[in-house]
Amino acid sequence: KNTSIVAGTSEVTLECIANARPVDRLSITWKRNGVELKGGIGVFGRRFTILNPTSAVIGMYECEATLQSSSISVHANAYLTIIEPPYFTAEPERRIQGEVEKTVDIPCRAMG
């Protein structure tokens, strides 16, 4: 499922739940944005853990479960998003003067 985490989280784990018979012939591979991943894969490949995630790991993750020695496979996708708390990139001035019945522009920009 799609997952959102707050920036600064220590780790995030994605799970791929798949079953087959015989289960010992089940092979699971992980990809991010179409590129196969090697590290961070847990027991039986069902969990993929990212330590200290940053904006560099945002993207579409895919797990593919294949029954070895066959062409049968299933896929599941999840989009990982990192949420940053908002912060000002340009704060409004403390004092702004304007004329009555005139438009006043108050510059204020934020990100996050």
Side-chain angles (χ1 to χ4, degrees):
K1 70 179 187 178
N2 293 339
T3 303
S4 295
I5 60 167
V6 176
T9 301
S10 62
E11 70 178 43
V12 62
T13 299
L14 303 175
E15 287 188 296
C16 183
I17 307 301
N19 288 308
R21 290 200 183 9
V23 73
D24 60 334
R25 290 184 44 212
L26 182 64
S27 171
I28 296 178
T29 56
W30 286 90
K31 295 179 183 178
R32 181 174 64 89
N33 299 330
V35 177
E36 189 170 339
L37 302 166
K38 298 292 183 190
I41 300 171
V43 180
F44 304 114
R46 293 183 181 200
R47 289 189 174 133
F48 179 71
T49 300
I50 303 166
L51 299 176
N52 303 311
T54 65
S55 59
V57 300
I58 292 172
M60 181 64 70
Y61 286 79
E62 174 187 3
C63 80
E64 178 180 20
T66 306
L67 192 56
Q68 294 172 355
S69 70
S70 79
S71 59
I72 300 170
S73 66
V74 292
H75 306 255
N77 294 319
Y79 195 84
L80 177 63
T81 304
I82 296 182
I83 301 168
E84 294 182 281
Y87 60 92
F88 286 114
T89 58
E91 291 190 43
E93 295 178 27
R94 294 219 178 266
R95 276 193 124 150
I96 297 175
Q97 294 183 350
E99 296 179 36
V100 175
E101 296 186 20
K102 297 285 182 173
T103 301
V104 176
D105 290 325
I106 302 174
C108 177
R109 285 181 296 219
M111 292 186 71

